Amino acid sequence: MPTVLDSRAPRSADPVSDADRPLRALWRRYTVYRARLILAFTFSVINKVADVMPELLIGAAVDVVVRGDQSFVADVLGVESRYAQLGWLAVINVVVWLVESGSEYLAEVLWRNLAQGIKHDLRMEAYDHVQHLDLSWHESRSSGSTLAILNDDVNQLERFLDVGAPAIIQTALNVILVGGVFAIASTQLLVLAFLPIPVIIVGSLIFQRRLEPLYARVREAVADLSAALSANLAGIATIKAFTAENHEYARISKASLAYRQANSNAIRTAAAFVPLVRVAILTGFTCTLLLGGWATLNGTLEVGMYSVLVFMTQRLLWPLTEVAEVLDLYQRGRASAARLLRLLDEPVIVRQGHASLNRPVAGGLELRGVRAGYADGPDVLKGIDMVIPGGETHAVVGSTGAGKSTLLRLVLRFSDPRSGQVLFDGRDVRDLDWDSLRGSMGYVAQDVFMFAGSIAENIAYGRPTATRAEIEHAARAAAAWEFIEALPDGLDSWVGERGVTLSGGQRQRLALARALLRQPAILVLDEATSAVDNETEAAIQQSLRVATADCTALVVAHRLSTVRHAHRIWVLDAGQIVEFGTHDELVAANGAYAALWRVQTGMLATD
């Protein structure tokens, strides 16, 4: 779960501003890391101070050799012997190197752990938020683009926090500390040595503006590529069946080349920055070398200080050659953070209520004047009125596009009606928390999803505390035990990703067992036996009649033989209920249901 804030809570009142200033938004968001950030910064400061000291010690050593008992070291330590002065410098040097090594280790550990912690929390917060986003949001975008944000973007941000942020801090500290030394030694040399820095800063800002849209395109390209790869791997059987390997290779190659080109454009622009920095460095170093040397020859600058300034110029300017790389990391991290924050700012429309159902749950359902549709499209359901008493089995049938799946979405509250109410035990489902609503239901989707794991784990997915005996009982009720028992490892047999090691009928039976194991008050079945043969269907129907004796069942089916024993059958056509009744009543009425029955059986039947 998120460390600092609930990912389902309302976001910033101005989400665009967070996306425009992503790193500042992360500072506000993850307050728990501020102390660690300050500690890491402190050790970076100590490390940089110790890192600058060797140049000063070199200058002091040169001063000792040249001036002897008149040296700076002799004045400070009160030691006249040059050998003793150099000995003291050696001791100080050892202490400095120990401090530098220790502070570098601590700073690196702190920065890396900070990056890993934020990476973990941000990924989990984003994933938790994605889980609670509406089903319609997931259906409107590719899973690959979401995966790219949760994986690649989080990694890019972690790389910036791990490498880029410490480098920025070290560079800034380097400029400040070296500037202090130059200010003490010579104001003229300070100005000349620092003259290239404004050029580099202005160049950095220009390149930053140019890089920002380039890296935004890189992120878009990698999202497109991830989406295409994810979709193709999921549909590999279809690709093979239609011998579309060459076509898909060309399509993925096009997406990969687009990603490559987007990266190349960004790299080409970032790389052009390095020559500019080198020219600026050459200017500053040459000024220090010549003017400092002349001042030393004229006797206005000590030899030791001249040595310090020459080394310090290198110390000041050469790290700036890495500004392009740091800028590259910054832009990638900033673009990734912006995408993550935009994802976190996606609103959750269908939010759980706060009311709970009375126990035991009776399982009564009612739809009152329900109108529903998708996005800005026309109504799919048009004024549906339906009453399903607790403990009864009701079926919804109709031709393709009649609105059956839309009705189930409303019952499960994957979406809300445009008008009207869906009631569960007399309570509007919008007022109920998820535990009362979905926790009281067992659901078998038309497109069954299996997780990578054992058969037992898949059956117990909705009730992890179930015993082996309860899992076996549910498998028997779903007519799945026979094929499970025939497997080498039985319930412990491994189910591949998405259940690819199982047939469609086997997956449906396991999904049904998973739903029955929850002992739901309402069992919702969406074409739950469409992938099984007639013999298995008959076995499942017999088991269901026993399993649903104490619960409500809402069944959507195309195959009418699966619902002929329902207490009531509701017939949908073009989003409206055109008739309802028992199987025999509807066949006798010779209406829409009877027509569907004749199409499937070629005759009228009463039982």
Side-chain angles (χ1 to χ4, degrees):
M1 294 298 288
T3 300
V4 177
L5 92 128
D6 183 354
S7 67
R8 276 101 60 201
R11 304 287 162 186
S12 164
D14 184 12
V16 176
S17 65
D18 275 0
D20 289 342
R21 298 189 296 271
L23 299 180
R24 186 183 303 178
L26 290 177
W27 169 260
R28 293 198 310 267
R29 197 178 203 93
Y30 290 107
T31 57
V32 71
Y33 289 104
R34 289 183 183 177
R36 273 174 274 185
L37 178 62
I38 293 170
L39 189 60
F41 175 80
T42 301
F43 279 109
S44 291
V45 171
I46 295 172
N47 175 250
K48 179 48 64 177
V49 171
D51 188 45
V52 170
M53 286 297 294
E55 281 79 3
L56 296 175
L57 293 175
I58 290 172
V62 171
D63 190 49
V64 168
V65 172
V66 173
R67 298 175 61 203
D69 58 3
Q70 302 297 316
S71 70
F72 173 77
V73 175
D75 292 340
V76 173
L77 298 180
V79 179
E80 294 185 2
S81 169
R82 296 184 181 183
Y83 295 98
Q85 291 177 46
L86 292 175
W88 275 107
L89 288 177
V91 171
I92 295 171
N93 182 61
V94 170
V95 173
V96 167
W97 278 97
L98 289 174
V99 170
E100 182 184 6
S101 299
S103 60
E104 182 178 12
Y105 169 77
L106 292 172
E108 185 170 352
V109 168
L110 285 167
W111 279 113
R112 289 194 172 185
N113 284 334
L114 181 72
Q116 290 296 322
I118 293 176
K119 170 185 174 181
H120 169 75
D121 286 355
L122 189 55
R123 174 180 284 139
M124 294 314 300
E125 183 182 352
Y127 172 72
D128 185 59
H129 183 62
V130 165
Q131 284 192 124
H132 290 86
L133 284 172
D134 305 332
L135 191 61
S136 59
W137 182 88
H138 289 276
E139 293 168 343
S140 65
R141 59 184 287 139
S142 68
S143 59
S145 61
T146 305
L147 182 62
I149 295 175
L150 294 176
N151 190 32
D152 195 55
D153 278 319
V154 172
N155 289 336
Q156 289 287 358
L157 180 59
E158 180 252 343
R159 188 162 177 248
F160 167 70
L161 293 172
D162 188 8
V163 179
I168 291 172
I169 292 171
Q170 291 277 4
T171 302
L173 289 171
N174 194 65
V175 170
I176 293 170
L177 293 172
V178 174
V181 175
F182 267 88
I184 294 171
S186 169
T187 304
Q188 182 185 24
L189 288 178
L190 170 68
V191 173
L192 292 173
F194 275 65
L195 196 60
I197 293 180
V199 177
I200 295 172
I201 292 174
V202 171
S204 299
L205 294 174
I206 293 172
F207 272 84
Q208 179 180 333
R209 293 194 189 96
R210 295 188 63 183
L211 283 170
E212 189 168 356
L214 294 177
Y215 280 119
R217 283 196 284 274
V218 169
R219 304 307 318 132
E220 292 170 2
V222 74
D224 292 342
L225 179 59
S226 296
L229 288 169
S230 177
N232 280 24
L233 291 175
I236 193 67
T238 302
I239 292 172
K240 287 179 173 294
F242 285 86
T243 59
E245 289 91 344
N246 291 337
H247 170 73
E248 293 303 328
Y249 177 87
R251 195 167 68 88
I252 295 298
S253 177
K254 182 179 179 181
S256 183
L257 286 172
Y259 176 45
R260 175 185 173 185
Q261 186 60 48
N263 258 316
S264 295
N265 292 339
I267 291 168
R268 188 162 51 248
T269 302
F273 186 60
V274 176
L276 173 65
V277 175
R278 288 183 177 275
V279 171
I281 290 171
L282 175 63
T283 303
F285 183 74
T286 302
C287 289
T288 304
L289 187 68
L290 287 176
L291 297 179
W294 293 339
T296 304
L297 292 174
N298 294 333
T300 58
L301 185 67
E302 297 294 342
V303 175
M305 183 56 71
Y306 175 58
S307 303
V308 170
L309 295 182
V310 170
F311 281 111
M312 282 292 184
T313 304
Q314 293 283 79
R315 169 70 68 183
L316 170 69
L317 297 177
W318 276 112
L320 296 179
T321 58
E322 299 178 358
V323 165
E325 182 181 351
V326 172
L327 191 62
D328 180 85
L329 291 173
Y330 170 76
Q331 285 298 343
R332 288 177 183 268
R334 189 175 185 277
S336 294
R339 283 163 58 91
L340 281 158
L341 290 170
R342 279 195 291 269
L343 175 62
L344 287 167
D345 283 326
E346 288 288 345
V348 178
I349 306 300
V350 180
R351 294 181 177 274
Q352 69 170 326
H354 302 288
S356 300
L357 291 175
N358 296 325
R359 303 290 177 175
V361 178
L365 281 174
E366 183 179 356
L367 282 74
R368 294 180 183 173
V370 168
R371 291 174 53 253
Y374 298 93
D376 297 325
D379 286 348
V380 176
L381 296 179
K382 307 166 185 176
I384 300 295
D385 291 299
M386 182 183 296
V387 177
I388 305 174
E392 292 190 3
T393 296
H394 284 223
V396 179
V397 302
S399 58
T400 300
K404 302 184 298 297
S405 295
T406 303
L407 189 148
L408 291 190
R409 288 169 67 100
L410 297 178
V411 170
L412 291 159
R413 211 176 163 230
F414 290 155
S415 57
D416 286 331
R418 291 173 174 172
S419 65
Q421 288 181 296
V422 179
L423 304 176
F424 187 176
D425 280 1
R427 302 292 298 270
D428 193 314
V429 294
R430 285 170 287 202
D431 297 331
L432 299 176
D433 58 40
W434 296 136
D435 184 60
S436 286
L437 180 61
R438 295 175 188 162
S440 300
M441 294 183 179
Y443 176 52
V444 180
Q446 186 173 359
D447 182 18
V448 174
F449 189 90
M450 291 284 124
F451 296 90
S454 69
I455 286 179
E457 289 170 339
N458 270 277
I459 294 176
Y461 183 75
R463 191 181 158 202
T465 58
T467 64
R468 298 279 287 195
E470 290 171 328
I471 293 172
E472 179 181 338
H473 178 75
R476 290 183 184 277
W481 184 248
E482 184 177 350
F483 88 80
I484 293 173
E485 199 174 25
L487 295 173
D489 297 319
L491 283 172
D492 295 318
S493 298
W494 185 259
V495 177
E497 186 176 0
R498 292 181 177 270
V500 293
T501 60
L502 303 172
S503 69
Q506 289 172 333
R507 289 197 297 272
Q508 275 195 327
R509 281 177 275 175
L510 289 183
L512 182 57
R514 181 163 62 194
L516 293 175
L517 183 62
R518 298 193 78 180
Q519 299 176 343
I522 298 178
L523 184 62
V524 180
L525 307 176
D526 188 2
E527 301 289 350
T529 59
S530 60
V532 300
D533 55 41
N534 291 333
E535 183 179 352
T536 303
E537 180 194 349
I540 291 176
Q541 290 302 317
Q542 180 60 37
S543 297
L544 279 177
R545 278 196 285 272
V546 176
T548 59
D550 298 321
C551 76
T552 306
L554 178 59
V555 184
V556 163
H558 277 103
R559 194 186 298 178
L560 301 184
S561 58
T562 64
V563 299
R564 60 183 301 182
H565 296 292
H567 292 90
R568 179 167 291 179
I569 300 171
W570 303 84
V571 184
L572 279 180
D573 184 40
Q576 295 179 309
I577 295 174
V578 294
E579 58 182 350
F580 58 88
T582 65
H583 169 78
D584 293 340
E585 291 170 348
L586 292 172
V587 169
N590 201 27
Y593 181 87
L596 289 172
W597 180 258
R598 284 194 297 270
V599 168
Q600 293 189 16
T601 65
M603 64 177 183
L604 294 175
T606 57
D607 195 8

